[in-house]
Amino acid sequence: MGLSKTEKFSVHQNELAVMSKALGHPARIAILEYLLKANSCICGDIVGELGLAQATVSQHLKELKNLGIIKGNIEGTSTCYCIDSEKWESISVAFSQFFAKQTICVEGTCC
């Protein structure tokens, strides 16, 4: 597979692509929904909630943490996770602006 040549695209386009990739797995969406529902820091419950292996959940948490959408605080022997509300808002705004762009297709000019 070739290089993606990200330098050919705008910063905004690259940022949306990175966010999309990080959100592009159902397990990550499930993790975010669980954290949103709990509305607090969660320690260790995520594996039980998803029914996936600890290593798999850890990889998904790592991707979400790399994006900055979740934060992790070490408490004893475990890490507690919660949504980073500022990053959540910035991602929400970025996608809202992207999807707010209207498509106008004049009859006979589109497929």
Side-chain angles (χ1 to χ4, degrees):
M1 186 173 197
L3 298 174
S4 63
K5 300 191 181 196
T6 56
E7 71 278 354
K8 291 185 178 267
F9 304 100
S10 72
V11 170
H12 179 70
Q13 290 166 334
N14 280 296
E15 287 173 350
L16 280 175
V18 167
M19 288 184 274
S20 297
K21 184 177 178 185
L23 298 175
H25 194 287
R28 295 183 199 137
I29 299 299
I31 289 169
L32 291 171
E33 288 178 335
Y34 184 62
L35 293 174
L36 288 165
K37 181 178 71 175
N39 201 26
S40 64
C41 285
I42 303 297
C43 301
D45 296 341
I46 298 171
V47 172
E49 178 72 16
L50 296 181
L52 298 173
Q54 173 68 51
T56 302
V57 172
S58 292
Q59 279 297 93
H60 290 302
L61 288 167
K62 179 182 173 191
E63 288 296 322
L64 293 170
K65 203 168 176 190
N66 287 343
L67 178 61
I69 199 166
I70 64 172
K71 298 186 276 189
N73 298 318
I74 298 172
E75 292 186 12
T77 59
S78 62
T79 303
C80 296
Y81 293 96
C82 62
I83 300 286
D84 182 315
S85 56
E86 286 181 29
K87 185 65 173 186
W88 182 264
E89 180 64 25
S90 73
I91 289 172
S92 176
V93 167
F95 279 108
S96 293
Q97 290 172 347
F98 177 69
F99 287 114
K101 295 178 181 177
Q102 299 296 315
T103 61
I104 301 172
C105 197
V106 178
E107 188 68 33
T109 63
C110 298
C111 33

